Amino acid sequence: MKIFVINLNRSTGRRNRITNLCKNLKLDFEIFTAIDGRELDEDFIRSNVYDYKNCFLTRGEMGCALSHIGVYREIINRRLPYALIIEDDAVLDSRTVDFMSAFEKKPKNGIFLLTGDVEYAKNKKIKLGDFDVFPIAKAIRATGYIITLKTAQKMIDFLMPIRYEADMFEIFRTCGDVKIYATLPHLIETNDRDKCDSALEGDRKLVVADRERYRQKLYELEKRPKSNFIVSILQKLSKKPKYRHYHQY
């Protein structure tokens, strides 16, 4: 299974650590250079971020979301049936490799979170080899997950224009019609759980309360029937070929 490792070009320490880990596990991986939100052009942001200036998304969160979308585009362009996406703080071991092998023997469409911090449906267990997989209700952290080709396309269709962070899986499930599952116990950990080495946290802390209120209001609007005005606006915008891959801008 192809693995994409999302890593900021300036984060050399993180890149070296995850590279050595993947090599030791003999994984088929490549570094996907993350989009640095600090370097985003103002015109690009205005054209690709919904309600820019009022939405309280930080530049780091914009770059993170665009980076995950960039990987989805790679999966689609290469016609990969599925891939594992990990961020550079991920900690993997032999159990992760075993699950990847089990998934390849019996692939199932959707997103499969390999991280913790999930709420799940206990009575809907799915077996993939020796692993227990459950549909999720809520989840945070995009540290490591498998995504299938069909779902990658669905995610791109839903996520543009940028209006949510990369790990809003409850919203992706309820508003984007994306099937999302999680392995229990989880198979990928982070080596930065307290986020002391995160490139996002500094700016995020300054607006976290405002951002949560804004996101909840937007989420409530998007959960309504298709006729609500926010969805109508987004549908109209999506018909215009204005959303471009950042690297093509």
Side-chain angles (χ1 to χ4, degrees), residues 221-233 235:
L221 286 168
E222 292 210 46
K223 284 198 298 184
R224 295 178 185 176
K226 294 284 185 179
S227 59
N228 81 71
F229 76 97
I230 288 290
V231 173
S232 297
I233 290 173
Q235 289 174 337

Side-chain angles (χ1 to χ4, degrees), residues 1 7 15 46-47 51-52 70 87 93 96 110 116 124-125 141-142 153 170 180 206 208 221 228 234 236:
M1 183 184 298
N7 167 259
R15 182 164 60 253
R46 281 193 293 270
S47 296
D51 199 20
Y52 175 50
E87 296 180 335
D93 59 27
T96 317
K124 295 185 178 181
K125 182 170 70 175
R141 293 191 183 277
Q153 183 61 66
E170 177 187 5
I180 305 180
L206 301 176
V208 62
L221 286 168
N228 81 71
L234 296 178
K236 289 178 182 178

Side-chain angles (χ1 to χ4, degrees), residues 3-5 14-31 84 86-88 90-93 97:
I3 300 173
F4 293 96
V5 181
R14 284 181 168 227
R15 182 164 60 253
N16 291 338
R17 184 202 67 83
I18 195 67
T19 295
N20 290 334
L21 177 59
C22 289
K23 284 182 177 179
N24 289 339
L25 291 171
K26 296 181 172 55
L27 300 175
D28 177 15
F29 76 100
E30 64 182 76
I31 301 295
L84 173 64
I86 60 175
E87 296 180 335
D88 57 12
V91 179
L92 298 74
D93 59 27
V97 179

